[in-house]
Amino acid sequence: MRRLACYETRHAGDDALAVHRHADAYAALVLDGCHVEVSIDGPRACTPGTVMLHPRFHAHGNPLRRRG
């Protein structure tokens, strides 16, 4: 049986995660701040409460910025 991992990451308001992929599918919940995720599917605004679902190997980047 495969175990699911749950963890929290924090990023500075001026961080930028270059386009990358994850080997496993996952869901991400935005708790604070905001960013626009960029991918082949187009840009998507991610604000607190947004849940992002990513299939395996989905290429995406995360330029981050903090609001208030």
Side-chain angles (χ1 to χ4, degrees):
M1 179 181 204
R2 188 173 185 159
R3 289 185 176 238
L4 299 178
C6 180
Y7 59 92
E8 180 178 337
T9 59
R10 291 189 175 271
H11 301 278
D14 59 351
D15 278 351
L17 304 179
V19 174
H20 60 283
R21 299 173 190 264
H22 300 269
D24 294 315
Y26 72 98
L29 170 62
V30 178
L31 298 176
D32 184 32
C34 68
H35 69 280
V36 174
E37 182 167 285
V38 293
S39 75
I40 191 81
D41 303 317
R44 180 163 179 201
C46 300
T47 57
T50 301
V51 176
M52 297 295 294
L53 302 176
H54 294 279
R56 294 180 68 204
F57 301 112
H58 180 259
H60 60 280
N62 307 95
L64 305 169
R65 68 178 186 275
R66 227 179 243 297
R67 273 196 220 158

